[in-house]
Amino acid sequence: MTTFNKVTAAHIAALREIAGVAYVLADEENRDRYARDETEDLHYMPEVVVKPDTTEQVSQIMQLCNRELLPVTPRGGGTGLSGGALPQYGGVLISMERFNRIIQIDERNLQVTTEPGVITEVLQMAVKEKGLFYPPDPSSRGTCFIGGNIAENSGGPKAVKYGVVKDYVLNLEMVLPTGEVIWTGANVLKNATGYNLTQLVVGSEGTLGIVTKIVLRLIPAPKHDLLMLVPFRSAESACAAVSAIFRAGYVPSAMEFMERDALEWVSQYVQGSTVTIADDIQAHLLIETDGNYPEVLMQEMEGIAGVVEGFDVGEILFAESHQQKEELWKLRRRVAEAVKANSVYKEEDTVVPRAELPLLLKGVKEIGRKYGFHSVCYGHAGDGNLHVNIIRGSLTEDQWNGTLQEGIREIFRLVKQLGGTISGEHGIGLVQKNYMDIIFDETSMRLMKQIKQIFDPNHILNRGKIFDN
Amino acid sequence: MTTFNKVTAAHIAALREIAGVAYVLADEENRDRYARDETEDLHYMPEVVVKPDTTEQVSQIMQLCNRELLPVTPRGGGTGLSGGALPQYGGVLISMERFNRIIQIDERNLQVTTEPGVITEVLQMAVKEKGLFYPPDPSSRGTCFIGGNIAENSGGPKAVKYGVVKDYVLNLEMVLPTGEVIWTGANVLKNATGYNLTQLVVGSEGTLGIVTKIVLRLIPAPKHDLLMLVPFRSAESACAAVSAIFRAGYVPSAMEFMERDALEWVSQYVQGSTVTIADDIQAHLLIETDGNYPEVLMQEMEGIAGVVEGFDVGEILFAESHQQKEELWKLRRRVAEAVKANSVYKEEDTVVPRAELPLLLKGVKEIGRKYGFHSVCYGHAGDGNLHVNIIRGSLTEDQWNGTLQEGIREIFRLVKQLGGTISGEHGIGLVQKNYMDIIFDETSMRLMKQIKQIFDPNHILNRGKIFDN
């Protein structure tokens, strides 16, 4: 195993030679800005921050670090929830913020070529102006980078109908830890030419290389959507309703689950919220349909309403206006923030086959009772992706950093038993890597570690993420 | 590089011990049945054929062959078009034909767990009975195996709306060349848990392991479809119409291109065909829409007809009945057979971004004139996937096996220049591996070969496919 060197003044001078003096930050205040992401309260200080502007610069930085055995951590928008962009070993942090150009929107081929530092929402809006649609839509879309979305294989509410990031990535330009630059595939919708390096890189959490250009497929934008908020008197019934809707033949464009606490906390957190929750309501589903034909959407919404009415629901709220839709979506998007503002918490990104959601929710609550923690659950129920927020509340330090780990293991063992896995869209990063043994046996772990070794012989790139290496 | 041993009587006895006497075939007549696939006129004789029945047996066979350094070739339905299932080095051919059980259709989660030796159409029909839909649909669906489809990342006509095999595979049980058995992922719709081994295996042409169980996602079956055949007076205009349809916001469920020769030859080949082609017609598009609302489909078909009418078309044929739809689809599916019956040929599985199809077609014809070959082109135009069938005609042996290679290189260089690649859905196998350098640089090739090495340290499994190793 490589032992890293410390960053010296000579290294900093070399980095300044490569990226320009203004883009190499070595003072404490600036470095501290890159020492956190959105994961719990973790803090790791880089020794130096570099902001390259071209693929060639990234390649030169990598060659330097590979030669000098300096740890490298790539960083996008810093919105990660598993600590993937945190410089655990110090060293060189490469911020991709200057890679912020949308290179080409190809309306003839329904593709966009972009740099990785473009904010996801900026990309979405740019293609929407051309009548096109890039569906992956993490809650952090206003600040996260498209490159980070690729690193974590992000999802978001639209994944239930449109798929996740991996379903839109056609081709990637990537700098390897050796400094070599490759394209992973071709700009085509189908490809049976060698191993799928593109899909190997998507979701690899910045451990195999630094992506410098991205080719995404786009689809025609649906022209209309409808939204409704369905209150349930039991959280498990809300989960059960989810698979019933699919079994009835409907494919909504979003189907979001929120436990009572989640919606209550966020409606207090977001100013001017008009949503009220009746006393006997335990959970909500936020259900959207989209398409080009308003009458079809209305018919589908009525059909879905018919299905959910079999599950002991309260009064369904149909969003009447664009403004009301916006409000409901704003509430959903800001749940994580509201939970964070309310208490210290740990978020588990569980995912199971969707019909197993009621068993998962029931199990999480039972495990919570056993270990003495309260949880607030919400997430992308249509995909079986439940974010379990474990609230610190009155847990002692020993409980929080000690016995709780066993509780989390129990949740993940349940997830595995239900056919699921421990991360749907947040990644493993630093915080979940000790649980990987629940999902993968030694052989699979060995294969992954050997793949890492091929791409990064000196283990300089984002070491300690996904697994120890 | 491993030097293989020959299969001995002792090996055959050991194989009989593992799989049962009846399932180990060593006589010439039986071995000869496994010496061909649908690729040109290639013939490679295995030394012995084994038909295991369980994952455990496959694992034991692999352990034996790995220890004894015997080459292993896995085989599905034998319908491959790139020679992927041919035992180039002789050795042990593992036929997966007895892995023919659909293990579970999970209607609650819209998933199916199946063995790899199930015929694709059998699987499609079984899930259709439950109102579910597995869209990947190769022309060979009546005889190919689902496992082979995974090896080659197959597509077919529905890919334009529904994606290819990789978009449906959730999880795979696989026996490594060492005999170790892994599951590659989890049975979930989204997954950010470690490297995507599932997607690495899909399309790896049986070089990384032998898949023994497959979990596929399904979708609700669309209830209706409409089909029309549009004749064009210029083949390039037909190609140009393809991207115009998408740019107008339509996403057909199939959009197939056939040059005049293709449709003419197949209508002569298939008995009782009623399709007639006017003298001035150079190409056809077969366009399907599907969905749950007949009135919407009709509206979309009329919209699409409106778009294509801008491209100098003949009289559009709307399929009036189920029978007429079946006939048109039968013609399309049997084009490859009809071409094969007509002449010796080589098929190139080119794919480009769809708006570049007219340039590809024009370039193929120019290259044909330069090298003196006639080509018949057809394919999945909605995906930019054009099958270029190079007809032997009166080419001499020297031309056919000599200078033609340079012509094919020119076609593939054009494909690359247009943003495409050399195989969309047939794979590289034996016949395209000498062209891989056109698409991948040395670094990418090195990565792929090293990945192969990780999974298969002794290079016993399907060696010589995709690249020399």
Side-chain angles (χ1 to χ4, degrees), chain A residues 136-390:
Chain A
D137 192 23
S139 289
S140 56
R141 67 176 184 180
T143 44
C144 65
F145 290 178
I146 192 77
N149 297 173
I150 283 168
E152 304 301 328
N153 192 15
S154 304
K158 306 280 187 187
V160 61
K161 178 169 177 181
Y162 294 105
V164 296
V165 166
K166 82 170 173 59
D167 302 308
Y168 292 85
V169 182
L170 299 180
N171 201 0
L172 297 168
E173 183 191 69
M174 182 167 83
V175 180
L176 302 185
T178 53
E180 292 161 295
V181 181
I182 64 168
W183 278 95
T184 57
N187 301 353
V188 290
L189 296 168
K190 54 202 293 197
N191 194 333
T193 314
Y195 300 150
N196 198 333
L197 298 180
T198 308
Q199 292 290 331
L200 184 62
V201 170
V202 174
S204 66
E205 309 196 35
T207 64
L208 299 180
I210 297 187
V211 168
T212 45
K213 284 194 192 73
I214 299 161
V215 183
L216 299 168
R217 84 180 174 98
L218 304 169
I219 55 177
K223 298 187 180 74
H224 306 280
D225 56 59
L226 291 176
L227 188 65
M228 67 180 172
L229 184 68
V230 187
F232 290 81
R233 295 200 178 83
S234 139
E236 280 174 51
S237 320
C239 288
V242 170
S243 75
I245 291 167
F246 285 88
R247 280 144 71 195
Y250 300 104
V251 181
S253 51
M255 194 184 300
E256 298 289 302
F257 170 81
M258 287 175 280
E259 268 198 301
R260 180 183 179 97
D261 282 357
L263 190 58
E264 199 160 66
W265 292 5
V266 76
S267 15
Q268 287 155 9
Y269 180 75
V270 171
Q271 285 201 333
S273 166
T274 61
V275 168
T276 56
I277 309 172
D279 286 345
D280 60 344
I281 294 307
Q282 294 306 317
H284 290 78
L285 288 180
L286 184 64
I287 302 174
E288 186 194 77
T289 56
D290 72 3
N292 293 332
Y293 303 92
E295 63 281 15
V296 166
L297 294 189
M298 187 54 79
Q299 215 173 315
E300 288 189 336
M301 263 311 188
E302 284 166 5
I304 294 170
V307 174
V308 297
E309 275 160 6
F311 288 84
D312 193 16
V313 295
E315 195 179 343
I316 296 176
L317 172 68
F318 286 94
E320 299 285 347
S321 61
H322 180 73
Q323 194 191 344
Q324 200 171 13
K325 287 179 194 169
E326 287 292 299
E327 186 196 339
L328 289 174
W329 273 120
K330 187 159 87 177
L331 290 174
R332 170 58 192 92
R333 283 212 179 83
R334 299 189 69 182
V335 165
E337 269 175 74
V339 171
K340 196 165 193 169
N342 205 292
S343 166
V344 173
Y345 75 110
K346 287 187 202 283
E347 180 164 1
E348 312 307 331
D349 178 33
T350 61
V351 57
V352 293
R354 70 167 79 90
E356 315 309 334
L357 272 177
L359 288 176
L360 174 61
L361 188 70
K362 185 158 169 273
V364 165
K365 299 300 175 183
E366 278 168 13
I367 294 165
R369 282 191 289 277
K370 180 169 162 192
Y371 288 87
F373 65 78
H374 179 61
S375 62
V376 180
C377 298
Y378 58 88
H380 314 299
D383 301 307
N385 186 197
L386 190 74
H387 300 318
V388 178
N389 285 264
I390 299 173

Side-chain angles (χ1 to χ4, degrees), chain A residues 107-111 152-153 156 164 166-167 176 180-184 186-197 199-200 203-205 207-208 220 243 246-247 249 251 293 296 299-300 351-356 380 382-383 385 419-425 427-428 436 440-441 443-444 446-448 450-452 454-455 466-467, chain B residues 107-111 152-153 156 164 166-167 176 180-184 186-197 199-200 203-205 207-208 220 243 246-247 249 251 293 296 299-300 351-356 380 382-383 385 419-425 427-428 436 440-441 443-444 446-448 450-452 454-455 466-467:
Chain A
E107 293 178 71
R108 296 167 61 244
N109 284 305
L110 277 58
Q111 296 180 1
E152 304 301 328
N153 192 15
V164 296
K166 82 170 173 59
D167 302 308
L176 302 185
E180 292 161 295
V181 181
I182 64 168
W183 278 95
T184 57
N187 301 353
V188 290
L189 296 168
K190 54 202 293 197
N191 194 333
T193 314
Y195 300 150
N196 198 333
L197 298 180
Q199 292 290 331
L200 184 62
S204 66
E205 309 196 35
T207 64
L208 299 180
S243 75
F246 285 88
R247 280 144 71 195
V251 181
Y293 303 92
V296 166
Q299 215 173 315
E300 288 189 336
V351 57
V352 293
R354 70 167 79 90
E356 315 309 334
H380 314 299
D383 301 307
N385 186 197
T421 189
I422 64 177
S423 179
E425 56 178 18
I428 299 303
M436 284 283 276
F440 292 107
D441 63 17
T443 305
S444 298
R446 188 193 74 221
L447 292 172
M448 288 191 207
Q450 287 177 322
I451 290 170
K452 166 68 175 170
I454 289 172
F455 282 76
I466 304 182
F467 36 66
Chain B
E107 293 178 71
R108 295 167 61 244
N109 285 305
L110 277 57
Q111 295 179 3
E152 304 301 328
N153 191 18
V164 296
K166 82 171 172 59
D167 303 308
L176 302 185
E180 293 162 294
V181 180
I182 63 168
W183 278 96
T184 57
N187 301 353
V188 289
L189 296 169
K190 53 203 294 194
N191 194 333
T193 313
Y195 301 149
N196 199 333
L197 298 180
Q199 292 291 331
L200 184 62
S204 65
E205 309 196 35
T207 63
L208 299 179
S243 77
F246 286 88
R247 279 144 71 195
V251 180
Y293 303 91
V296 166
Q299 216 173 311
E300 288 188 336
V351 57
V352 293
R354 70 168 79 88
E356 315 309 334
H380 314 300
D383 300 309
N385 187 196
T421 188
I422 64 175
S423 178
E425 57 178 17
I428 300 302
M436 284 284 275
F440 291 109
D441 63 18
T443 306
S444 299
R446 187 193 74 221
L447 293 171
M448 289 191 205
Q450 288 178 323
I451 289 170
K452 165 70 176 171
I454 290 172
F455 281 77
I466 304 183
F467 36 67

